[in-house]
Amino acid sequence: MQSAIGLEGVELLQDRWLGEPAVWSPPPIAGTEIQFFTVTGNTQKQLIESLDGSGLCSTYQCLPDPAAPAGGSAWALQGGGFEATACYSPRTAIRTIDSFVVLPKWVPKPSGGVTVSLVTRWNALEQVLYVHEATHAAIAIQDFTALNNQARLLPSCLAWVRFWSQPSLFAQEEADQNAFHARLRADCRPAIGCFVDGWLGW
């Protein structure tokens, strides 16, 4: 009995996180600023509670999302707008998109305060959230570039201003973002930015 307890103690000691594996850091996203909000906790349950209590949907508008957990909270998001631009000629008046992605950031307790398996599960979660939001950002930038290309062909600055003032200006982007969500609902896999509730305990 003592040897069994000793073996269990060794296994628990081996699962203590001492800096390896490293906490995953997201690579840059072209044309997009990555922002972070702080998540705290030493267990997966505490991390989930912190993620759920982040209040992202109170600060930003959250759309229905198959990658989001149940309960109406968001664990990451993508957003943006466009910067004001003066028009002297539609051919040169290019509007730039202000694209951003908000991801959670967790700094594990050092000196064996958390487990290796928790850090491994966190890294997996962070990568899925990153892929999901980076895809949203890519769609937004692609569609915004298409709008700029259309506006560049207009005959006057008055037409240019009217073009950018259309209520339905972002209908195509909304359709493309919804199509991405539809693809995830049809084929929800972590590799493409989607996970079902309970995946790796999340």
Side-chain angles (χ1 to χ4, degrees):
M1 187 66 166
Q2 287 182 339
S3 60
I5 293 173
L7 180 59
E8 182 178 320
V10 168
E11 289 174 349
L12 288 173
L13 185 61
Q14 289 175 337
D15 196 35
R16 291 290 130 190
W17 181 76
L18 299 170
E20 291 292 336
V23 177
W24 186 79
S25 294
I29 303 171
T32 300
E33 177 190 5
I34 300 180
Q35 304 172 5
F36 297 94
F37 66 94
T38 300
V39 173
T40 60
N42 298 322
T43 66
Q44 191 166 19
K45 181 176 183 294
Q46 291 171 352
L47 290 177
I48 290 172
E49 290 171 351
S50 185
L51 287 162
D52 285 342
S54 66
L56 283 187
C57 290
S58 300
T59 306
Y60 307 93
Q61 180 183 4
C62 293
L63 301 175
D65 192 330
S73 62
W75 291 3
L77 58 82
Q78 179 273 330
F82 51 80
E83 297 178 0
T85 305
C87 179
Y88 301 101
S89 165
R91 291 181 183 85
T92 59
I94 298 174
R95 304 201 82 165
T96 56
I97 186 171
D98 179 22
S99 174
F100 64 88
V101 160
V102 184
L103 296 173
K105 183 169 186 167
W106 175 52
V107 178
K109 187 176 180 180
S111 304
V114 300
T115 63
V116 169
S117 55
L118 178 58
V119 174
T120 300
R121 290 194 299 273
W122 172 264
N123 286 345
L125 172 68
E126 187 84 338
Q127 290 175 60
V128 172
L129 296 176
Y130 170 86
V131 169
H132 184 95
E133 303 307 338
T135 303
H136 277 307
I139 291 169
I141 291 172
Q142 173 185 294
D143 287 353
F144 198 80
T145 299
L147 290 175
N148 263 315
N149 291 338
Q150 292 176 50
R152 191 176 294 119
L153 301 176
L154 295 171
S156 68
C157 280
L158 179 59
W160 186 90
V161 170
R162 287 175 176 166
F163 174 83
W164 288 109
S165 301
Q166 297 176 85
S168 61
L169 185 65
F170 296 107
Q172 184 60 55
E173 185 201 348
E174 185 176 340
D176 290 342
Q177 300 288 14
N178 287 337
F180 171 53
H181 282 174
R183 290 195 299 274
L184 296 186
R185 282 190 289 271
D187 181 24
C188 184
R189 291 179 287 121
I192 59 174
C194 183
F195 65 89
V196 296
D197 286 345
W199 172 76
L200 295 182
W202 298 109

